[in-house]
Amino acid sequence: MILAVVLLLLTVGSVLFHFYSPWWWTPIASNWDYIDHTIIITFWITGVAFVLIIGFVAYCVYRFRHREGQEAHYEPENKRLEWWLTIATSLGVAGLLAPGLVVWKDFVTVPAGASEIEVMGQQWQWSFRLPGKDGVLGKSSDGAVTVENPFGINKDDPQAQDDIVLEAADLHLPAGKPIKVLLRSKDVLHNFYVPEFRAKMDLIPGMVTYFWFTPTRTAKFDILCFELCGTGHYTMRGSVVVEDDAAYQTWLSQQTAFRDTYQRTKVVTKDSSVQ
Amino acid sequence: MSHSAVADTNVPHAHHGWSGLVHDWSTDQKAFKNVPWGKAMMWIFLLSDTFIFGCFLLSYMTVRMSTLDQWPNPSKVFALHIGGQEIPLILIAIMTFVLISSSGTMALAVKYGYQKDRVKTAILMILTAILGATFVGMQAFEWTKLIMEGVRPWGNPWGAPQFGSTFFMITGFHGTHVTIGVIFLFIMARKVLRGDFDVERKGFFTSRKGRYEIVETTGLYWHFVDLVWVFIFAFFYLW
Amino acid sequence: MVDVTPSAVDYVAPAHEEDELYHPHSFLTKYVWSQDAKIIAIQYAGTATAIGLVALVLSWLMRLQLGFPDTFSFISPEAYYQFITVHGMIMVIYLLTALFLGGFGNYLIPLMVGARDMVFPYVNMLSYWVYLLAVLVLVASFFLPGGATGAGWTLYPPQAILNGTPGRDYGIILMLVSLIIFIIGFTMGGLNYVVTVLQARCRGMTLMRLPLSVWGIFVATILALLAFPALFVGCVMMLFDRILGTSFFMPRIVEFGEQLAYGGGSPILFQHLFWFFGHPEVYIVALPAFGIVSDLISTHARKNIFGYRMMVWAIVAIGGLSFVVWAHHMYVSGMNPYFGFFFATTTLIIAVPTAIKVYNWVLTLWRANIHLTVPMLFAIAFILTFVNGGITGLFLGNVVVDVPLSDTMFVVAHFHMVMGVAPLLVIFGAIYHWYPLITGRMYNNALGQFHFWVTFVGAYLIFFPMHYLGFVGVPRRYFEINDTTFVPANVHELNMFISVVALIVGFAQMVFLYNIISSIWYGKKAERNPWRATTLEWQTPEVPPGHGNWGKETPVVYRWAYDYSVPGVAQDYIPQNTPPDDVPMAKPHRLQPA
Amino acid sequence: MAHAETQQAPVHHAQSHHAQGQQHPIGIYLWIWGLLFVLSFFSYLVDYFHLHGMLRWSLILLFMILKAGLIVAVFMHMAWERLALIYAILVPPVLLLVFVALMTLESDYTFLIREEFFGIGR
Ligand code: HEA
Ligand code: HEA
Ligand code: CUA
Ligand SMILES: [Cu+2]
């Protein structure tokens, strides 16, 4: 009896908690509201199943509890019932899976016009590389990564000269344009995640991974590392500023190109080694 | 004969093929009719071991296929100079033949074991063990040669460092299996010779009565080691 | 229907004993170096519980840090990461796997299949001692310079063996060695369990008459024998990377500005190996729970388990499928993105056989005669927590939904609900259920009830709200979250609440321990078969079962394990070994329903 | 009932009085032994003659599978076991093959990515 009540209370409580608790996802700031929709669909299908099943259990616990003279019914199988339940569940699963796969197709297919940016992780900070005026990232390699050249950019590549390297600085992005984020790491696994964008992906040393999104809302967001990367994992933060195109262009024009930063850091490091 | 342990009592003649399959799985007592406990256990252990070697080989495949570095050519690396001529892979080929020979002697040992021919069984088992030891010896020679040429688990003069890593790891694990097999073969051969299995003397590890089926169980292990070598030969040396 | 009829056996083959047993002579061989599966089971369970308590204490420390950040100066970030790693590893492997398979497997398999013991008792004994060694090696890692590893229980390289991670010097080495030892020890035991079920059943015991407990443990053991190899290989390779400087998992790395000597390896390979083991592993701890809970429900509801054959096939199907879903842990790992389609599909397909199991448990309650004993309370609580946790699994399995949720507290909530709470509830239920058999005494019912209510409601209150932290975007494995643009202040209140409840639930476990320990001496004497169960373990000549289990003759089985409340029979259960002619009839009645 | 059979199989079936277990004429072992030698020699020749491409791979795999098959079937007596055992042992490795297949795709992907982004400058 108490158990039946408690089961019901937990079920109803869970549903109420879902609708009325203050804890929910942050407002979205990218095109991935499809993901949010899929989550909502999932909630409905599974929520209904949860309430029905636990409700049924609670009813049985109450209705068929042991009393004097209570006798259980003998019924080993019921083929029809089992088939119906299997079919209904399969339909439920299909209802979850279908939208999921459709959206995943979008997720892995980068639109043609997306501009590429590169993110480099290291213990425990973020650096970024933007393609510069020509809109193309210069060639780079993991073997060429040094302190002066954190992205291992190929210095002879003409397309690399105007690249913009942002070390331990905020990333700026124009709103409304699809961005393909190329992810690299110098040392261990990291994960680039901005909760408002809903999309995340690991950074793997010796590899380049990617995801894409279109920022839709102008604001400054936190970048968090979402893959355990050592003691400082929880301190590995960055910021991304999404701004409208004009503001972005202004910002962009104030950045120094790779050919200049590279020269400068080289001079600086030479100086410091002399001392 | 005092005890017919191997002859399981409920194998119906009528059931073969598929209906036998269904029958065996749906009757009582034993799913593998006719199969003694030790043998069943060895088969399942070998299945698990298959997954170990499978994972080793698959890891080797993965690192080899995903590296940008040049993979050293095994045909050259494992070549020997004999009579002023370079013969590719020759040592490995000889090792292969040695191991196969040992498999043959083992198979015969099992046969004579079931015929209770103590002497023949023991001699064949010892022969198997000696061939196995020879294999391990050649393996040691191979390792020494490569180490002298500068191959290390962490690098080698010719290319991808994973070459050395996977080579030492996979052949090392295989060699360990062979070595364990050799030791067990000697122990079992002694037991056979002493007549332990004729008097059903209890085994130390199993605390069960010893019977000639142990020879077959040991044989299964030994053939498996040979089997693994077939795959190593194909994927490591011939690729 | 083939085997679910209440009628007589089809045929009884002649007895076939492989061998007589060894006979222990001294106290040492009887209780310490014992080869009796029942003693080994208790040794396994005791060790697992002891190390489980360590993990429990670690979880308190973690919760203290998360609930009250900046309060406890002795919890440094390094310590925190060591805590979560060892907590996770102990709970999954050294507690649940060892307890379900080594503990319940050893105790129940020989008894339930009607064997005298495991097929190779000596190897079985070794299995336990090797397991103990693995536990000791794990514990030792805390006391070496640098402490235990803090790499997370997933031990992902390169991070696990580089300087930025605590315990990189010795901790990680001991962790890997301990796992390797565990796997070797487990294999010895596991082979025994499998062969005993396959080859050492008693007369009349067909596979389709096995109690579902045995089925669950049996299939889980097979999964373990096939999945642990992948972990073994991963551990060996990582050990080489760490000690010998090989580069299996290590690409070119610049660590804190310094170029390391590694190059060309594939970090993602380790993840594949780990999860090829890891996913079957979660079913290794789930399937025994599925099996045992079926028996608890059926016994205490006095009703046959509904759809026995479907239940068996579902266990087998889940076991098979669990090998082709592993990369759902890697949706955002940067693997080949097209794998997402394959693994999302296989993952969601697993929900179907699992759902069938849930339905059958629930339908067993329909028109039953439910005795709300302590074991039954735990069993029903399992249904709720498992359905809840399983459903959140569907979120994560559906690849795009996993993208925002992966590595958030949502995942932590998912696996605690489905693994930390649900199977653990079954363990508690099972301990209460078989307590009279093992000790010959009853536990204290009031304390049992208390333990149940605090654990069940408490655990739900801990882990249900935690999902919503995940929605907010709170990451897992964060020492502290500090200020961000998206985490509102009230998240800290929720964290505090969770921590307080976790402490309460933790202390309730002390009541449980007190209960099961003190009842050994002070509990009232149990009846022979207090639950009036049908399965063989309750039908032994001595209770608790003696050495060799069965006295002179091993039992002969005539029926499936679920003949409860058969119409027309005088009592509401018929033990599996009751011959058709001995069934007490209430009134003249056709035994077989038409 | 599916198993209405009432038979109780005779105890000694197909067994001579002084021997038990697998009994096969010695010839078959020697014959297989020879075959294994020949097959090994062939696979060695594949390398010796520096075959490559598809031909090399199909021959390597062919000889490998034949050798493995003979060892398992004859030396390990699998051919004479009952189907129950055969399937129990041969079916699970299929899971391993799935793993191998997926890892092939995965390593191809890794290689292509590495080639595309890091291939220059080596
Ligand atoms: C006992 C352990 C256990 C069990 C049984 C499960 C069961 C499931 N798990 Fe869980 N899981 C873990 C333990 C477990 N998991 C652990 C430990 C981790 C984290 C590891 C780590 O990273 O540290 C994890 C992580 C994890 C992830 C990775 C998340 C991430 O890291 O991003 C995913 C993704 O797919 C997942 C999915 C599933 C699914 C689909 C099931 C399914 O099997 C669930 C099936 C059950 C049901 C579906 C409920 C019953 C069905 C019904 C009531 C019918 C109604 C249903 C419909 C309408 C369809 N799990
Ligand atoms: C079965 C597995 C299991 C169990 C039971 C638990 C139990 C608990 N866990 Fe744990 N946990 C894991 C498996 C488990 N956990 C894993 C795999 C991780 C991931 C590690 C990683 O990220 O690397 C993790 C991580 C983890 C985190 C995330 C840390 C982070 O990411 O920052 C937290 C935080 O709150 C947490 C809390 C708790 C709490 C409060 C309890 C409990 O206190 C809950 C309440 C108590 C009970 C329900 C009773 C438990 C009783 C016993 C253990 C007694 C011993 C047994 C017997 C007597 C038979 N756990
Ligand atoms: Cu970088 Cu976590
Ligand atoms: Cu999983």
Side-chain angles (χ1 to χ4, degrees), chain A residues 122-124 126 188-191 225-230 232-234 236, chain C residues 478:
Chain A
Q122 79 188 64
Q123 288 170 325
W124 290 281
W126 300 100
V188 303
L189 305 176
H190 302 277
N191 186 306
C225 180
F226 260 65
E227 183 70 75
L228 181 54
C229 53
H233 168 54
Y234 69 102
M236 188 167 162
Chain C
Y478 259 40

Side-chain angles (χ1 to χ4, degrees), chain C residues 368-444:
Chain C
N369 177 10
I370 300 172
H371 293 249
L372 285 179
T373 56
V374 174
M376 186 62 165
L377 291 174
F378 277 103
I380 291 176
F382 162 84
I383 299 183
L384 182 131
T385 50
F386 179 75
V387 171
N388 192 288
I391 275 173
T392 54
L394 295 178
F395 284 65
L396 299 170
N398 201 355
V399 52
V400 282
V401 178
D402 183 63
V403 170
L405 295 179
S406 182
D407 274 305
T408 65
M409 286 314 255
F410 187 92
V411 176
V412 175
H414 155 68
F415 68 71
H416 277 90
M417 195 68 98
V418 78
M419 174 176 76
V421 180
L424 228 98
L425 291 176
V426 175
I427 287 198
F428 288 133
I431 291 178
Y432 286 114
H433 180 81
W434 280 294
Y435 191 80
L437 178 70
I438 297 170
T439 63
R441 306 260 176 176
M442 285 308 276
Y443 52 83
N444 179 316

Side-chain angles (χ1 to χ4, degrees), chain A residues 25 30 39 41 117 188 203 246:
Chain A
W25 55 46
S30 81
I39 297 185
I41 298 178
I117 65 159
V188 303
L203 288 62

Side-chain angles (χ1 to χ4, degrees), chain B residues 1 6 9 11-13 15 17 21 24 26 39 65-67 75 88-89 97 100-101 111-112 114 216 238, chain D residues 3 7 9 13 19-20 23-24 26 33 37 40 44 47 56-57 75-77 81-84 111 114:
Chain B
M1 218 202 85
V6 185
T9 41
V11 178
H13 289 282
H15 296 278
L21 181 76
D24 290 3
S26 51
K39 186 169 150 187
M65 282 175 70
S66 48
T67 181
S75 181
L89 274 187
F97 289 123
I100 288 181
S101 309
K111 177 183 164 56
Y112 287 115
Y114 279 132
E216 188 183 5
L238 293 182
Chain D
H3 305 295
Q7 88 290 10
H13 94 106
Q20 39 177 264
Q23 284 301 316
H24 310 291
I26 191 158
W33 205 352
F37 265 93
S40 297
Y44 176 69
D47 191 67
R56 181 188 181 93
W57 269 109
F75 281 1
M76 298 173 89
H77 295 159
E81 299 292 354
R82 294 179 64 81
L83 275 184
F111 181 80
R114 285 178 170 177

